[in-house]
Amino acid sequence: MSHMTPMRALCAQARAGAAALQRAGAEGRTRALLAMADAIRAAGPRILAANAAEVEAARAKGADAAFLDRLTLDPSRLNALADGVATVAQQDDPVGIERRRWRRPNGLEIAEVSVSLGVIGVIFESRPNVAADAAALCVRAGNGVILRGGREAAGTVSAILAAGRAGRRAAGLNEDAVQTPPDASREWVTAMLSLNDGGVDLVIPRGGKPLIAHVREHARVPVLSHLDGICHVYVDRDADPAMAREIVVNSKMRRTGVCNAAETLLVDAAVADSLLPDIARALLARGCELRGDEAARRIVPAMSAATQADWETEYLDAILSVRIVDGPGGALEHIARYGSGHTEVVVTENAATAQAMIAAIDAAVVMHNASSGFSDGGEFGYGGEIGIATGRLHARGPVGAAQLTTSKYVVHGQGQVRG
């Protein structure tokens, strides 16, 4: 049985819902989001009951602790999820903003204005909060969205989305902008990725590497994603020692399983003897395994030996590879070879070094004297994010509501005709 026609119908409904959101204006979209947050809170018992049943089923199937943690909602997580939707309601509306305006010598006045993207497909795994975040950001930007979550969380996601629909209805708005397929069949994913006529305008995958790789390989529509988060922290000869230690420990150990966690520490050879022992002690005390090159192991013998594979690995665990490099040039060389274009951190008090490295590093986010943990839409003030994009087209870095818009050019004349 083909889901091509049903997927086209789902997209058409979402597109009609999006058009209604666009007509409602900024104030109407804000009203919709606040009502959605209220409705999610009101539906709390129903959402938590659906979630508890799914967590139990996943546990019975032998799901690991990390998977169960991503799947689980409790009252405080549900509250945070509703707060997240309310926070997006407080963000500036990104639609209809005049980005720039200029006048041509012939008197034509041209303006670039932001407009909604259209219908966005979001494919995610077992994290129910992605459904609420993605729905809120798409509504804020006047887009329709098709949400396809993993089958393990299907009941939780549909309870969250039903509450969101009730909220939009209560706000007097078309409820169709946010859709989810009626069942967990994989054919819906295939249809979403392959339908480039009457389908979604953009696909955003949220999840592990296999999911993202699958989406990128099979999509016939544009994809916004990142594949790896191999993030480096470079500690320069002009770094403040205490600051360097705090930034390295926070970048690696705040949460090891997230894409903005540091995976490799690069230390300037000029200060490795004086700075590395203190940084290593702090990491080891937090239970972090260190894998160093020869020079690093001479300074800290407690490290195991790093292999070539370590520089290419996103551990998503309490493991950090450590390399001694020949100043900023050595760091840039390592990052150019092994970086995944996600987030890079430079720790130095030397403004000229910082500027030169920021200009040379090719990544979506470059931090100077701050933890990689801040590479996050919420921390950027976006109210939330639908993911981090490391490609070069459309949007790069954290993707909030403003990144879910595109441009329209409006030209005002006084009767000009072209010769």
Side-chain angles (χ1 to χ4, degrees):
M1 148 191 173
S2 163
H3 276 303
M4 295 303 278
T5 331
M7 176 51 80
R8 196 176 264 121
L10 218 51
C11 290
Q13 279 182 295
R15 206 170 290 282
L21 279 177
Q22 289 157 27
R23 287 193 299 274
E27 188 275 329
R29 291 188 287 276
T30 300
R31 208 171 63 240
L33 287 161
L34 292 171
M36 284 162 66
D38 287 344
I40 288 169
R41 285 198 184 91
R46 199 159 48 246
I47 295 168
L48 290 173
N51 184 253
E54 289 183 324
V55 170
E56 207 31 69
R59 187 178 282 120
K61 276 192 192 145
D64 64 31
F67 181 91
L68 291 171
D69 181 58
R70 287 195 298 273
L71 177 61
T72 303
L73 285 179
D74 55 29
S76 78
R77 283 183 177 185
L78 186 68
N79 215 23
L81 184 141
D83 285 348
V85 177
T87 305
V88 174
Q90 286 148 26
Q91 298 299 300
D92 289 343
D93 192 89
V95 182
I97 306 292
E98 190 170 284
R99 291 175 170 154
R100 55 198 178 114
R101 175 183 283 259
W102 65 101
R103 184 184 284 274
R104 299 289 298 136
N106 60 12
L108 288 179
E109 195 148 319
I110 305 174
E112 182 189 355
V113 179
S114 63
V115 293
S116 308
L117 258 178
V119 177
I120 295 165
V122 180
I123 300 172
F124 59 103
E125 289 173 339
S126 60
R127 290 178 57 184
N129 62 305
V130 173
D133 292 347
L137 289 165
C138 287
V139 167
R140 174 78 287 172
N143 293 307
V145 60
I146 313 286
L147 292 160
R148 167 49 167 81
R151 68 178 66 235
E152 299 83 3
T156 309
V157 166
S158 93
I160 290 168
L161 298 184
R165 286 183 84 96
R168 289 189 296 284
R169 196 162 56 239
L173 279 152
N174 182 311
E175 55 195 77
D176 287 342
V178 183
Q179 298 284 343
T180 192
D183 61 65
S185 152
R186 286 202 67 129
E187 290 177 51
W188 290 103
V189 174
T190 308
M192 188 192 289
L193 297 178
S194 59
L195 189 64
N196 57 3
D197 169 32
V200 298
D201 299 292
L202 178 72
V203 170
I204 303 179
R206 282 289 304 268
K209 201 168 166 176
L211 168 75
I212 293 167
H214 174 83
V215 169
R216 284 169 40 154
E217 188 183 339
H218 297 284
R220 289 173 64 191
V221 290
V223 177
L224 211 54
S225 68
H226 76 270
L227 199 52
D228 284 306
I230 299 179
C231 307
H232 301 82
V233 179
Y234 167 64
V235 176
D236 183 54
R237 68 193 62 183
D238 295 318
D240 173 285
M243 181 197 289
R245 183 187 64 234
E246 294 304 312
I247 287 174
V248 172
V249 171
N250 187 262
S251 294
K252 175 73 245 184
M253 297 304 294
R254 190 189 76 84
R255 282 183 67 193
T256 57
V258 290
C259 59
N260 60 21
E263 306 294 6
T264 301
L265 168 63
L266 304 173
V267 184
D268 189 337
V271 288
D273 285 314
S274 58
L275 294 194
L276 186 55
D278 190 32
I279 294 172
R281 243 193 321 275
L283 286 162
L284 291 165
R286 294 284 299 271
C288 184
E289 180 191 331
L290 301 177
R291 299 180 185 175
D293 67 353
E294 263 181 64
R297 292 180 72 213
R298 270 201 301 275
I299 300 167
V300 182
M303 291 186 194
S304 56
T307 65
Q308 177 60 33
D310 284 303
W311 315 123
E312 300 165 2
T313 300
E314 181 180 16
Y315 301 113
L316 300 173
D317 198 355
I319 305 169
L320 184 68
S321 54
V322 183
R323 188 173 212 170
I324 308 299
V325 293
D326 186 14
L332 289 170
E333 213 171 286
H334 182 98
I335 290 166
R337 179 161 179 200
Y338 299 108
S340 60
H342 192 297
T343 300
E344 306 295 353
V345 178
V346 175
V347 186
T348 184
E349 297 298 300
N350 184 319
T353 300
Q355 267 323 110
M357 291 190 74
I358 288 164
I361 289 170
D362 178 16
V365 180
V366 183
M367 302 276 180
H368 173 218
N369 290 349
S371 165
S372 65
F374 291 108
S375 184
D376 173 281
E379 293 298 326
F380 277 31
Y382 293 175
E385 70 176 26
I386 210 163
I388 302 248
T390 56
R392 284 172 171 72
L393 296 181
H394 184 67
R396 203 175 189 203
V399 178
Q403 288 70 33
L404 299 178
T405 61
T406 185
S407 292
K408 171 190 279 186
Y409 290 87
V410 181
V411 183
H412 296 282
Q414 302 86 35
Q416 288 92 328
V417 293
R418 186 171 172 179

